[in-house]
Amino acid sequence: MTPGPYPGMEPQPYSPLPPAYGAQLPPQQPPPTAYFGATAVAAATLASVIGLVGTIGFVVAVLRMVGHPSSSRLFSSGIVGAADLAIAALSVAGAIGLFKRSPAGRVCVLVGSSLAVLDIVVFMIVGLGSSFVRKSAPPTLQMTFPSGFLWLIVPVAALVLAAHRATGAGLLPKTPPMPYHPGW
């Protein structure tokens, strides 16, 4: 072949036929993804907050068990502490996984957020039940329901963001850009 317009540059092969008539096409690659992982980062950030709150809840439950070892609340504090530990562990592991772009992190955030939603709903139901038992509806309901609904926003948002299609697409390996073929 003759040298191209620049030294060391070879001319590109040219086919006068359109690709449908037998010209060789370069190998096709999938189009690059337009997702940058913003939903994954947002879900990981919310999961970090859930993990922090779960850790604080676990520490409070342990302090209650240590402070009152013969109390009748020992069993309930143990259950609350175990649930908070599971929520904290799953949420923190999921947040780290999402920051590292791991699909397992997404699953951990989904499970941890679901447990947090269940924990808050049970807290609200128990608060409602204790208000009827103690016949002190106004103070207990004033504390339980508004704070429960406010705290429900964080795990539901983390759950929605982690389940979103863009989070899954952001966790996929990045595809390199398609090569430029001058002459096509």
Side-chain angles (χ1 to χ4, degrees):
M1 292 184 141
T2 61
Y6 301 105
M9 183 176 175
E10 296 295 323
Q12 296 291 325
Y14 173 74
S15 173
L17 298 175
Y21 294 106
Q24 292 284 331
L25 285 178
Q28 294 293 321
Q29 296 179 356
T33 59
Y35 301 108
F36 301 108
T39 55
V41 170
T45 304
L46 289 175
S48 299
V49 171
I50 294 168
L52 177 67
V53 171
T55 303
I56 292 170
F58 173 71
V59 169
V60 168
V62 168
L63 290 177
R64 280 186 183 171
M65 290 179 358
V66 170
H68 305 287
S70 62
S71 174
S72 63
R73 295 185 182 183
L74 185 64
F75 183 69
S76 63
S77 293
I79 291 174
V80 169
D84 286 339
L85 180 63
I87 291 168
L90 284 168
S91 298
V92 170
I96 292 170
L98 281 179
F99 282 130
K100 289 184 166 190
R101 295 182 53 209
S102 168
R106 182 181 187 192
V107 173
C108 287
V109 169
L110 288 170
V111 173
S113 298
S114 299
L115 283 176
V117 167
L118 181 67
D119 185 42
I120 292 170
V121 168
V122 167
F123 167 74
M124 290 170 51
I125 291 171
V126 167
L128 179 64
S130 67
S131 68
F132 287 124
V133 169
R134 288 191 234 152
K135 295 186 176 48
S136 63
T140 306
L141 288 179
Q142 287 175 357
M143 290 174 51
T144 303
F145 275 88
S147 64
F149 282 123
L150 284 177
W151 272 110
L152 206 56
I153 293 171
V154 176
V156 167
L159 191 63
V160 168
L161 286 171
H164 198 274
R165 181 177 62 118
T167 301
L171 298 177
L172 293 175
K174 298 293 180 194
T175 56
M178 293 186 68
Y180 175 68
H181 295 287
W184 286 100

